Amino acid sequence: TTNDKNAALMLRDDIEAEDGNNEKNMTQPVQSFFEKLLSSIESSFTKLPPLIVEDTSVLFYDVFLLINLSLSISFWVVHRMSFEYIGTALSEGSLLCIIWIISGLYNGAFLLSAVDGHYGSDSEEGGPKAAGMLGLSTFVTTANIRIVVALIMALIEHRPVGSMDGEMLMPSEILFGIALMSLWRSLHSYYTP
């Protein structure tokens, strides 16, 4: 009877150990998934470039191009040579420049390494194509933020999006801005030693 009790206790301990291992085995993949998810989120925030402006001449030329883009689209395309809307176009261009600077700081577009698209001059991946892609990425971020700002302003003012003078420029600004800023950054990279 003592042997039967010992055998029964050992059997019960084995069953309890298996149940504990099954629970651990079931929660381990879920726990592993969340650990991987959290580490990938953390790594995406730790890979941000420093939020500094090293190349001020590029920043000033970017601002000049974006303000000129807004003024030109307003004067030549949307309002057909009317000087009445120059002020709103300048305001829209200034807002676009502020958003460009924010996006550029996020993407590292004003660092000295941005000339080669953050790959380095010795890398085959760097160069004008990478710099153009950096300009494209920065302008896409800029356009997304500008659209969100327009949606928020329309929501606050209870009006449709695009009914304000500055917002009328947005479709052309996005279309021509993507081409302009990508080409400008590629040309700058090509001609910079």
Side-chain angles (χ1 to χ4, degrees):
T1 61
T2 309
N3 288 337
D4 291 337
K5 285 183 183 179
N6 286 339
L9 288 173
M10 289 176 62
L11 182 61
R12 187 186 71 188
D13 290 340
D14 288 343
I15 292 172
E16 287 177 0
E18 284 180 15
D19 287 343
N21 287 338
N22 285 340
E23 288 177 14
K24 287 179 185 176
N25 289 340
M26 289 175 61
T27 59
Q28 188 174 9
V30 174
Q31 189 175 16
S32 174
F33 169 76
F34 283 112
E35 287 173 356
K36 288 179 184 176
L37 180 67
L38 289 175
S39 68
S40 69
I41 291 171
E42 181 182 332
S43 68
S44 67
F45 283 112
T46 57
K47 291 181 183 178
L48 289 178
L51 300 176
I52 57 173
V53 177
E54 292 178 337
D55 198 350
T56 55
S57 61
V58 170
L59 172 63
F60 289 140
Y61 202 75
D62 287 348
V63 168
F64 169 75
L65 285 175
L66 289 171
I67 288 179
N68 190 24
L69 174 73
S70 293
L71 289 172
S72 297
I73 287 172
S74 174
F75 188 75
W76 296 108
V77 178
V78 176
H79 298 114
R80 306 291 173 137
M81 295 192 295
S82 174
F83 289 103
E84 182 181 345
Y85 299 100
I86 295 294
T88 56
L90 185 62
S91 175
E92 172 68 19
S94 299
L95 176 61
L96 197 63
C97 288
I98 291 169
I99 296 171
W100 171 264
I101 291 169
I102 292 168
S103 301
L105 288 173
Y106 177 78
N107 287 323
F110 310 120
L111 299 175
L112 294 174
S113 63
V115 172
D116 296 313
H118 300 303
Y119 286 106
S121 58
D122 298 336
S123 175
E124 291 181 14
E125 297 170 343
K129 183 178 179 183
M133 291 302 292
L134 180 64
L136 175 74
S137 173
T138 303
F139 197 83
V140 167
T141 306
T142 301
N144 287 332
I145 294 172
R146 178 62 186 104
I147 290 169
V148 169
V149 167
L151 290 172
I152 290 171
M153 292 306 297
L155 184 68
I156 290 172
E157 296 174 358
H158 301 288
R159 62 172 174 77
V161 176
S163 63
M164 300 298 290
D165 291 333
E167 292 175 359
M168 291 175 158
L169 307 177
M170 283 176 44
S172 297
E173 278 179 344
I174 292 171
L175 178 68
F176 293 115
I178 286 176
L180 174 71
M181 299 312 284
S182 299
L183 288 173
W184 147 237
R185 287 303 183 110
S186 291
L187 284 172
H188 177 260
S189 174
Y190 184 76
Y191 288 110
T192 301

